[in-house]
Every structure is written in structure tokens, then in C-alpha cells.
């Protein structure tokens, strides 16, 4: 099978071989020492399973509902910015998610317009950062509504941490002639990646079309990022105001504390993503799987609780569901699949996760993802973190 891989780790290795060094470095990301980045995946390995050996279900059901959308497995695509690791970008990811019966989260900092992504997958949730003030936010909400997105995701977990101990990749503002000459040795060292762009007759797009004001050209990634940095952080009243601008499903992404989860519910959200921004935010923030149980206990009966961060296999998904999540969101895993083999690579990742979920359900004696409980996992002493209680 051309381009097929058997695990997400395999997809990551293929992505590393295929992508120019600086592009792969941008995809890996993380912040400061990488404590949170490492803990996001390591924490899952600390959890065990409590399997059965007989009376196991012949059939297992993975379907669930997230933000009003019925999906075929408890995994949706997390919004991640500028997916120019492949010419298809976010449109290819959206098509893969649609082909596997699940939803797509689209970043405001995406490289493809939201209208194209919604056309590829009608079950698209549009992600927004608080940037530019209320008038700008209202215009983006209006555009999302006109495009037909199914819900909004508002991401607030970002403290603009700078610097990585292993060094940050060079990402240009624009692909000028000088920058292309500087980048040429890296690109030539990855001929398959370069050939993909040559065949598509395009260059990696470093603009953010979903941040464009009406009638204006799309800003560059760093232009949009700069505006975000200069916008005063939102208050809870701002969150409540933004919720009032949208009459559909509304997720607040980046919650790690119980008190913040309770405030989010009071502000009217319908879903919460327990996340530390993939380890890209304030380093030393615990892995989302560690704080998930306390948040699920506090608000899981009132809103959809999702987990985003560190998911690399179907067993991780099952562990998150057993600890209170309705579903998980995957970012890097889908991007590695995209880099490795385009749309088919993302479908491959989703198939890997689906297979791992099914195997775990069988071993645990559960016929549905909705039957999972904490009795299905082994939680070591001191594993969980209850913040803001």
C-alpha cells in the first residue's frame, strides 16, 4: 500500500524525513524546556488498562456526538495554524476527516479560506483567537456564519512564551527571492516535498486568509500574530459578549483549571477543550489528561468536555474517555499524516486511532465508547492534578 504507515510514530518519522528541517521544527514546536510538551504524551503511558478475557462484545460502537454533530469515532481534528506542510493544506485534512466521518477544526491562522474548507467538510468548527477587538471579532463571526460553519472554537490558552532550549526554526515573513534562496538548500535536500509543490504550481502559503478584513489582502502569519499580541487579553465579560454573537455550539479551548471551567459554563459555552496548547503555551503546565478528571467532574454534566494534547494512539483516546472526555482533538498526529502522505495520510492516522479504540474496547469488554468508566483504567497514586479547586 503506497505511503501506508502503521502507527502515528511511524507517520512522524516519515514526516521528519520528508519535510525540510525548519518546516519539521515548526511542526514540532513546544516552548521553553519542553516540560509540558513531554508530559502531554508521557502522562498517557502512566495510565494502565484493566482488561477482561471472556464475555467480550462481538461488536463495538464508536459513534458519539460533539457540539451537536454526530461523528463516527470520538476524534476530531484540532485547529492548527498554517498547514503548509503539504500543498493541499487544510482542505486535504478536511476531506480526510469527512471521508472518515468526523469533524474538522479550522484555525483562524490557517493557510486556506474557511469557505473552501467548509465546502470540503460541512462539519467544520471555526477557531478564533481574541485579536483586533470586538468589531473585528464580530466581522469574523459573521463570516463564519455566512460560510456555514457548525460551531465556534475560541482559544485563550496562549501567553506568548518565547524561546525553545533546542532552538526555534526560521520562519520568514514572506517568501521573497532572498528568502527562497536562503531556503533552497533545505528544500533541495527534500526533493519529494519540493516536487509536490512544483506539481501543484504553488508555493507554501504563509498568509492567513481567515484574518483578512473585508476588501483587503490576507495578512502574513506574522502580521496576524503581531496584531494578536498587541490586542489586550479578553475578560470573562468579553467571552460572554462573544458567546452572545453566536447562536450555535461554542467551545472554549485551553482550560486547565476547575474555576476557569466553571466561569466558562457561566459565560454560556456549550463545550470545553481541556488543553495546554500542545505544550506551546506556559511551560510546566500539567498534561491535559492529568487535569481532565477534576474538570469533567465539575462541569461534564453541563457541557461537552474534550481533551486536546498528547494523543498518539487509540488507547490514549479510550483513556481520555474513561476519565471523562466525550471525545479528543488531534493536531500534530494529523499534521504528521498530512506531511507523510497528504489526504490519504490523514485518513491513515484516523484509521490507526479507530483501530486502537476498537482493540481497547474489546479488551475492556465495552460495546460502546459511551460505556467507558474510570474502572477501566489503572490510575497511579499522584497522577491527577486538580487545579483551581
Amino acid at each position: 500500500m503506497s505511503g501506508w504507515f502503521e502507527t502515528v510514530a511511524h507517520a512522524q518519522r516519515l514526516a521528519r524525513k520528508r519535510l525540510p528541517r525548519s518546516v519539521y521544527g515548526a511542526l514540532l514546536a513546544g516552548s521553553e524546556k519542553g516540560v509540558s510538551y513531554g508530559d502531554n504524551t508521557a502522562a498517557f503511558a502512566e495510565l494502565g488498562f484493566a482488561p477482561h478475557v471472556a464475555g467480550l462484545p462481538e461488536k463495538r460502537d464508536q459513534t458519539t456526538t460533539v457540539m451537536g454533530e454526530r461523528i463516527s469515532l470520538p476524534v476530531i481534528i484540532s485547529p492548527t495554524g498554517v498547514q503548509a506542510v503539504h500543498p493541499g493544506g487544510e482542505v486535504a485534512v478536511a476531506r480526510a476527516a469527512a471521508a472518515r466521518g468526523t469533524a474538522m477544526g479550522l484555525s483562524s491562522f490557517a493557510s486556506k479560506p474557511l469557505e473552501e474548507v467548509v465546502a470540503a467538510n460541512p462539519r467544520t468548527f471555526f477557531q478564533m483567537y481574541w485579536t483586533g477587538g470586538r468589531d473585528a471579532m464580530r466581522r469574523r463571526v459573521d463570516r463564519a456564519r455566512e460560510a456555514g460553519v457548525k460551531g465556534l472554537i475560541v482559544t485563550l490558552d496562549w501567553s506568548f512564551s518565547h524561546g525553545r532550549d533546542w532552538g526555534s526554526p526560521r520562519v520568514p515573513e514572506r517568501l521573497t527571492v532572498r528568502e527562497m534562496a536562503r531556503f533552497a538548500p533545505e528544500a533541495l535536500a527534500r526533493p519529494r516535498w519540493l516536487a509536490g509543490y512544483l506539481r501543484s504550481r504553488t508555493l507554501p502559503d504563509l498568509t492567513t486568509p481567515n484574518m483578512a478584513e473585508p476588501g483587503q489582502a490576507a495578512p502574513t502569519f506574522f502580521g496576524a500574530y503581531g496584531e494578536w499580541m498587541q490586542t489586550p487579553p479578553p475578560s470573562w465579560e468579553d467571552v460572554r459578549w462573544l458567546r452572545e454573537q453566536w447562536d450555535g455550539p461554542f467551545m472554549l479551548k485551553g482550560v486547565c483549571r476547575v474555576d476557569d471551567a466553571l466561569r466558562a459554563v457561566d459565560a454560556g459555552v456549550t463545550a470545553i477543550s481541556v488543553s495546554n496548547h500542545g505544550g506551546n503555551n506556559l511551560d510546566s503546565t500539567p498534561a491535559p489528561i492529568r487535569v481532565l478528571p477534576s474538570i469533567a467532574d465539575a462541569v461534564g454534566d453541563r457541557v461537552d468536555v474534550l481533551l486536546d494534547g498528547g494523543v498518539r494512539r487509540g488507547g490514549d483516546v479510550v483513556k481520555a474517555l474513561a476519565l471523562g472526555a466525550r471525545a479528543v482533538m488531534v493536531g500534530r498526529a494529523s499534521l504528521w499524516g498530512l506531511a507523510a502522505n497528504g489526504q490519504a495520510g490523514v485518513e491513515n492516522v484516523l484509521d490507526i486511532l479507530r483501530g486502537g479504540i476498537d482493540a481497547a474496547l474489546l479488551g475492556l469488554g465495552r460495546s460502546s465508547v459511551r460505556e467507558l468508566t474510570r474502572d477501566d483504567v489503572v490510575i497511579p497514586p499522584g497522577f491527577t492534578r486538580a487545579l483551581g479547586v
Side-chain angles (χ1 to χ4, degrees):
M1 188 183 303
S2 177
W4 180 85
F5 43 84
E6 62 178 322
T7 66
V8 172
H10 188 188
Q12 182 180 0
R13 290 193 296 271
L14 291 174
R16 186 170 189 172
K17 290 179 181 179
R18 186 182 182 99
L19 294 175
R21 179 172 48 83
S22 60
V23 177
Y24 178 77
L27 201 61
L28 196 65
S31 69
E32 296 183 335
K33 190 178 180 179
V35 172
S36 294
Y37 175 82
D39 194 38
N40 281 6
T41 52
F44 278 106
E46 295 179 25
L47 294 168
F49 283 127
H52 294 280
V53 294
L56 306 181
E58 181 180 357
K59 296 180 180 179
R60 281 79 59 190
D61 179 18
Q62 297 189 28
T63 60
T64 190
T65 303
V66 172
M67 292 177 69
E69 296 297 314
R70 189 165 181 80
I71 52 179
S72 69
L73 76 166
V75 179
I76 67 175
I77 303 297
S78 186
T80 55
V82 190
Q83 296 178 11
V85 299
H86 182 277
E90 292 84 0
V91 172
V93 176
R95 288 173 177 158
R100 293 302 183 263
T102 193
M104 165 79 175
L106 179 69
S107 173
S108 287
F109 286 1
S111 63
K112 302 291 185 182
L114 66 92
E115 292 81 4
E116 291 184 20
V117 174
V118 171
N121 187 344
R123 284 182 289 187
T124 294
F125 305 131
F126 183 55
Q127 178 268 349
M128 303 171 66
Y129 292 104
W130 186 266
T131 177
R134 288 191 175 187
D135 288 343
M137 296 295 288
R138 186 185 290 111
R139 286 192 290 272
R140 292 186 198 108
V141 169
D142 290 343
R143 180 178 174 182
R145 184 180 293 111
E146 292 172 5
V149 306
K150 298 300 185 181
L152 293 184
I153 300 174
V154 179
T155 302
L156 299 183
D157 61 330
W158 192 263
S159 58
F160 304 106
S161 301
H162 296 287
R164 301 179 177 101
D165 287 0
W166 54 94
S168 297
R170 177 184 175 83
V171 181
E173 175 88 11
R174 292 181 175 84
L175 280 180
T176 62
V177 173
R178 175 179 291 183
E179 288 293 345
M180 285 190 285
R182 186 194 300 270
F183 185 68
E186 280 193 51
L188 292 172
R190 296 291 188 268
R192 290 184 62 201
W193 180 83
L194 181 59
Y197 273 99
L198 292 176
R199 285 194 298 269
S200 70
R201 298 182 181 181
T202 61
L203 292 172
D205 192 347
L206 302 181
T207 63
T208 54
N210 298 314
M211 293 294 289
E213 290 290 347
Q216 297 184 15
T220 65
F221 174 84
F222 284 109
Y225 184 83
E227 181 185 33
W228 179 26
M229 289 186 69
Q230 295 167 26
T231 302
S235 64
W236 283 108
E237 184 55 38
D238 288 324
V239 174
R240 186 184 301 277
W241 170 86
L242 185 58
R243 176 68 182 104
E244 292 170 352
Q245 310 309 304
W246 180 260
D247 56 3
F250 186 101
M251 177 190 293
L252 185 64
K253 184 174 181 290
V255 176
C256 288
R257 297 171 53 107
V258 170
D259 50 2
D260 280 352
L262 292 169
R263 290 188 183 104
V265 172
D266 288 343
V269 308
T270 59
I272 285 173
S273 172
V274 180
S275 169
N276 62 13
H277 215 108
N280 294 337
N281 188 31
L282 185 64
D283 200 25
S284 296
T285 302
I289 191 67
R290 297 190 190 278
V291 300
L292 170 66
S294 60
I295 293 173
D297 286 345
V299 301
D301 60 340
R302 287 180 279 174
V303 297
D304 291 350
V305 175
L306 287 84
L307 176 136
D308 189 341
V311 173
R312 300 291 185 267
R313 59 196 78 244
D316 296 341
V317 180
V318 169
K319 290 172 183 177
L321 270 56
L323 294 188
R326 177 177 287 269
V328 305
M329 305 172 79
V330 294
R332 286 188 182 91
S334 62
L335 288 179
W336 288 327
L338 177 67
N341 200 23
Q343 177 183 337
V346 181
E347 293 174 6
N348 195 159
V349 165
L350 292 171
D351 289 344
I352 289 167
L353 296 176
R354 188 191 300 276
I357 294 167
D358 187 68
L361 288 176
L362 175 62
L364 294 170
R366 299 298 190 184
S367 61
S368 167
V369 292
R370 296 179 295 279
E371 295 178 359
L372 292 163
T373 72
R374 292 181 194 176
D375 290 339
D376 294 313
V377 292
V378 180
I379 307 173
F383 174 82
T384 58
R385 307 285 189 271
L387 310 180
V389 176

